[in-house]
Amino acid sequence: MSDAGTDARVVVANPPDAPTLTVRADKTEVRVGDVVTVTVSAVAARTVPVNLPAQLEIQPFAVLDRRETESDLGDGKRRRDFVLQVAAYEPG
């Protein structure tokens, strides 16, 4: 029996309470030393903890400032926003 033409897809099922994440930056082009605001947003059930590590390893970027906000979406879910001010001091 030949395997030619078979579809070899892998489907990964996320748990039903897995958070939905989005990441956005306020700039698409920067120069060395420019500050970029990166926002990581997570929507999850109130019972699911969502956090970023206290120390982020994102070399060559440096985290200059970090803020977190949380809002109740009213449907048993909450949204957490992690707003990071980052800059890189070397090209790459």
Side-chain angles (χ1 to χ4, degrees), residues 13-87:
N14 288 330
D17 60 349
T20 301
L21 299 174
T22 58
V23 179
R24 63 186 178 280
D26 69 338
K27 300 175 184 169
T28 56
E29 189 173 310
V30 295
R31 299 186 193 289
V32 172
D34 286 353
V35 177
V36 178
T37 301
V38 177
T39 304
V40 179
S41 299
V43 174
R46 280 188 219 125
T47 58
V48 176
V50 177
N51 294 297
L52 289 181
Q55 297 295 318
L56 296 173
E57 300 297 326
I58 58 170
Q59 284 80 17
F61 290 92
V63 178
L64 306 174
D65 187 41
R66 174 181 174 151
R67 291 176 283 123
E68 298 178 18
T69 60
E70 186 173 306
S71 55
D72 188 338
L73 300 179
D75 59 355
K77 293 186 179 182
R78 66 179 172 169
R79 175 183 172 141
R80 289 200 73 188
D81 291 318
F82 303 89
V83 181
L84 309 171
Q85 301 284 322
V86 301

Side-chain angles (χ1 to χ4, degrees), residues 10-16 18:
V10 175
V11 177
V12 177
N14 288 330

